[in-house]
Amino acid sequence: MAKTVMYAQFVGIPLTIILSLIALFKKEEKKMLATFGLILVTVLIIVIGFFLYLGTHFAP
């Protein structure tokens, strides 16, 4: 289960960044949704990085 979540994040975060950037530069798309997507991806990257830091530095 943990590996499935890891692979989903590995594929999902770059995909979300790419789709949000495409939506941000399209003229007819709503800018607020694209901006919200980019903010959400940034928060997810920070959280995952924090957990990776905890996992590598505080492992028994």
Side-chain angles (χ1 to χ4, degrees):
M1 178 70 179
K3 290 223 182 241
T4 305
V5 172
M6 183 178 70
Y7 289 131
Q9 291 172 346
F10 181 71
V11 172
I13 290 175
L15 184 65
T16 306
I17 292 173
I18 291 168
L19 292 176
S20 292
L21 287 174
I22 289 171
L24 191 64
F25 291 115
K26 282 183 129 180
K27 302 246 185 233
E28 64 272 359
E29 292 294 326
K30 296 190 184 230
K31 304 288 185 204
M32 185 175 231
L33 278 173
T35 306
F36 180 72
L38 288 172
I39 290 170
L40 187 62
V41 165
T42 305
V43 169
L44 284 173
I45 289 172
I46 291 169
V47 168
I48 291 170
F50 178 71
F51 283 129
L52 286 174
Y53 173 77
L54 287 178
T56 55
H57 289 298
F58 297 109

